[in-house]
Structure formats: structure tokens, C-alpha cells
Amino acid sequence: MALKYIDPAAPREGPGWRLLLLALIAYPVAWQLLEAVSTPIGFWPVVLRFLLVWWLPVRHWPAVAVVDIGSAVVARHLFQGEPLLGPYQLLISVVPVLVYMVYVRLLRGPRLPEPPERPRAMAALMLAGALSAFTVAPVLATYLQQFRGVEDVGLRTLMSFGFGDLYGLLVGVPVLLAIRADRFALWRSRPWLFEGALGLSLSLGIVTLARAYPALDEHLLLLAFLPVVGLAFRHGWVGAAWSVGVLGVLLAYFLADHPNPLRVQAMGSVIGGAALLLGAAMTQLRDQRERLEAQHAALRLSMFEQRELAARIVALEDDGQRHVAESLHEHVAPPLQELRTLLAMAWRGGAEERDGRLLETLRSHTWQVQDGLERALRRLQPPALDR
């Protein structure tokens, strides 16, 4: 499965104004719909808020804040009869979106994010969600205690608020990021379809068994989340995002009447987060292995080309030595031999003593030249001929 790599140094642009305007207009309606279908285990509207802040550049955040705060104030006034400008209404409407922006800015930076296909990017995404969820939880508790008159707001309530938002973020955000990066390519893989269906059936079977045997509920629910770890190992961060998302949504509704929703939230958040990190790590390892294999293939090709080049050079050297040897043998050796013969004949012809000594000297030098030429010819003989 090939995922698209994004160069961190390449400039990224946010969505156009038309798309941004459409998203901001649909945001209040989508928030109300998701809030209506939320369960005690997962609070889905926070996915919208987090994605808008995570995806959009910083220059668009004021528009997001205005829409988020304004829609929250108006919705509470229309549907719950709360005053528009009460102090606690402003607290519960203003603080959450600002908290999300602060943590996203600290962990994501000013630039648009890459897909969380590396452990560091996935950890930053999850940490931003966890810090946002658990920072907003005391604000929600204060709102319930001061305005709604709920007295029993303790640590368990805070943990439930925090894990409820975190569960929704871990279930919804990664799968939407996977859709944006992968474009459903994973669903065209037969191994994923088979293994995903098998893991989902196993998880739902374990949950059904846990509902039938409440005494084993704690241990069986822990096993119900384990298939997502295997899918993350097999299919990388995209497989982890889809498995956590699908299983998380089904369990949120299947276990909506669970007597201890905090346990389900904590198990799902911890194991789901571990699966997402494992998937990102496996994606990085596979990418590194593919790059290493490509480098090895390029190195092997380069070595083969170098061997071919060396063989060509040796062949050219052999040819050059052969041509030089043939030229010396054909064009230099015969005249020298003829000169030596003539000198020998002249020396034997009874020349005067002085001329005889001169002829003897010339004859000796001719022998030396011919002997040196023969040694040169032997040295110029190509090694291939020796073999």
C-alpha cells in the first residue's frame, strides 16, 4: 500500500474561502447532529472542533472561534433556555475552543500538518487531543456545578469528561485523516477486508460474551480491543485508524448502557492510542525498508555498470596493445631485420679495418634495437592471449 509522501519543506495552502465558508456554515448544524447521537462513552462533536483547528491555518482560526463560540451560545439559548451573556455560558462557550487552539499551536506549529504516518506526528496529534480534552474537563465540571446545580462533581466526573472527549477524538480524528490521505485505497485490499472482518467479528463476539458474563467483564473488554493492535501491525497507521474508528463507534453504541462507561472509555483510549502509535511506527519501518531496498537495488545496478565499464576498458587496452604490437611487428621489425642482414653482409665482405669496426658497432646496435623491440612486443602482448 503506497501512501503519498509530503515534503515538509514544501509550502502548504489552506482551503479556499468558499470551502471554508461552507464548512463554517455547516459547523453548527453538524455539531447539534453529532451531539444528538453521542453516547455516554463517546462525545462526537469535539471531532469537528479539533479537525477544524488542526486542518486550518492559523489565519483562519478567528473565524473558527467566532463560529464555535457563537453557535454554542445561541444553541444553549434556543434549546436549553440559558441566557445569552451569562458568565458561565460564556465560560463554557469560549474556553474550549481557545484551549484547543493553544495546544494545537504548541504541538502542530504554525504550518499545516502532515498525515500522522510517523510516530512523532501521531504522538503530537494524540497529545494535542488528550491535553485539550482533560483541560476542558474542569471547565465543564465548573459549569455543571455553578449553573446546573450538580453537586457531585468529583475526580470521577472529571475523568469521565476527559476520557469521553478523548475517546471521541481518537475514534473520529485519525480515521478522517486516513480518508483524506488514503482515499479509501486500503478498502481495495483483500487482506485488509478479510482481516478487518475477522478482527471485528472477534471483538464483537468477546463483547457479547462480556455482557453475558458480567463477572468477567473487565478482562473480556480488554481482549475486545486487542484485534486493533494486530491490524495496526499489519496495515500501518491507516489500518489502525480504520480499526480504532469502526470498532470504537460500534462499541460506543453497543456498550452505551454499560454500568461503568469510564472503564470502557479508558480501555478504548489507552489501547486505541497504543494501536495508532504502533501503526505509525510500522508505516515508518516499511517506508524505511522500501527506501533501503531501493538504495540496494541502485547500488547493485551501479556495481554491475562499473563491472561492465571495467570489462570494456580492459578490452580496449587489449585491443590497443594488440594494434601497437601488430604495427611494430609489421612496420618496424622487417626494416631492422633487413638492416641487420645488410650490415652483416657488408662486414663479411672484407671492408677495411676502420670500416669494419664501424660496421661491427652498427651491427651490435642493430642487435640491441631488435632485441629491445622483441621484448617490447612480448610486453605489449594482451593478457587475454596469454590465458
Side-chain angles (χ1 to χ4, degrees):
M1 179 183 63
L3 297 180
K4 180 181 179 181
Y5 291 97
I6 300 177
D7 183 8
R12 298 185 180 88
E13 298 180 356
W17 280 103
R18 293 182 180 179
L19 183 59
L20 176 62
L21 183 61
L22 180 62
L24 294 179
I25 292 174
Y27 180 82
V29 178
W31 181 283
Q32 295 300 321
L33 292 176
L34 290 175
E35 186 174 5
V37 298
S38 295
T39 72
I41 294 176
F43 187 67
W44 312 128
V46 292
V47 176
L48 290 177
R49 176 187 293 149
F50 187 88
L51 281 179
L52 277 181
V53 176
W54 185 262
W55 270 340
L56 293 177
V58 177
R59 66 178 184 273
H60 294 327
W61 285 3
V64 175
V66 169
V67 172
D68 187 275
I69 296 170
S71 61
V73 171
V74 172
R76 286 190 175 86
H77 177 70
L78 294 178
F79 299 113
Q80 300 177 14
E82 298 181 3
L84 283 175
L85 301 178
Y88 297 108
Q89 285 72 23
L90 292 178
L91 176 70
I92 196 62
S93 301
V94 174
V95 172
V97 67
L98 297 182
V99 167
Y100 276 60
M101 290 178 178
V102 168
Y103 286 126
V104 169
R105 178 62 179 79
L106 290 175
L107 294 168
R108 190 204 72 178
R111 306 180 63 184
L112 295 184
E114 304 174 25
E117 56 191 7
R118 298 290 182 269
R120 184 174 181 178
M122 182 64 77
L125 176 73
M126 295 169 52
L127 184 59
L131 292 175
S132 300
F134 284 97
T135 303
V136 171
V139 178
L140 297 174
T142 302
Y143 167 76
L144 292 178
Q145 198 171 32
Q146 299 296 329
F147 185 78
R148 293 293 183 90
V150 179
E151 297 181 358
D152 186 17
V153 178
L155 180 60
R156 186 178 184 84
T157 303
L158 293 175
M159 296 293 289
S160 181
F161 286 157
F163 274 113
D165 286 359
L166 179 60
Y167 186 95
L169 291 173
L170 292 179
V171 168
V173 171
V175 71
L176 293 175
L177 294 177
I179 292 173
R180 187 185 187 189
D182 189 54
R183 304 294 183 185
F184 295 98
L186 182 64
W187 290 88
R188 294 190 288 271
S189 169
R190 290 184 179 180
W192 159 255
L193 293 176
F194 173 75
E195 295 169 11
L198 181 63
L200 182 61
S201 301
L202 180 62
S203 295
L204 294 181
I206 293 174
V207 171
T208 303
L209 188 64
R211 291 170 64 91
Y213 297 94
L216 301 176
D217 177 85
E218 181 177 356
H219 307 288
L220 292 176
L221 285 181
L222 186 64
L223 295 176
F225 289 98
L226 289 183
V228 301
V229 178
L231 292 173
F233 179 82
R234 289 276 295 132
H235 301 280
W237 82 272
V238 176
W242 275 108
S243 58
V244 171
V246 174
L247 181 62
V249 170
L250 291 177
L251 293 185
Y253 291 103
F254 201 66
L255 299 175
D257 58 347
H258 194 274
N260 189 0
L262 180 59
R263 178 187 299 170
V264 180
Q265 292 170 342
M267 288 182 178
S269 300
V270 172
I271 300 178
L276 290 170
L277 283 175
L278 175 63
M282 293 305 302
T283 298
Q284 184 178 29
L285 287 176
R286 290 192 179 101
D287 292 344
Q288 291 176 347
R289 184 189 64 185
E290 291 174 1
R291 287 195 295 269
L292 187 61
E293 290 177 351
Q295 292 174 356
H296 284 172
L299 181 60
R300 287 194 296 268
L301 179 60
S302 176
M303 293 177 63
F304 178 74
E305 292 176 348
Q306 289 178 0
R307 284 196 296 268
E308 283 191 339
L309 180 60
R312 275 192 231 166
I313 292 174
V314 171
L316 290 174
E317 289 179 349
D318 290 348
D319 290 341
Q321 291 175 357
R322 187 180 298 108
H323 291 321
V324 171
E326 290 175 354
S327 298
L328 290 175
H329 184 73
E330 293 176 1
H331 302 292
V332 179
L336 284 176
Q337 179 65 30
E338 185 177 356
L339 177 61
R340 192 185 72 173
T341 302
L342 292 174
L343 289 173
M345 292 173 62
W347 181 69
R348 292 191 189 98
E352 296 181 1
E353 183 179 355
R354 181 181 177 184
D355 293 338
R357 287 196 301 269
L358 179 60
L359 289 174
E360 176 63 23
T361 302
L362 290 174
R363 181 170 172 269
S364 176
H365 288 330
T366 304
W367 274 99
Q368 292 177 4
V369 171
Q370 186 174 10
D371 184 63
L373 178 61
E374 289 177 353
R375 287 198 299 269
L377 287 174
R378 284 194 296 271
R379 284 196 298 268
L380 287 173
Q381 185 178 11
L385 297 180
D386 294 338
R387 292 191 294 269

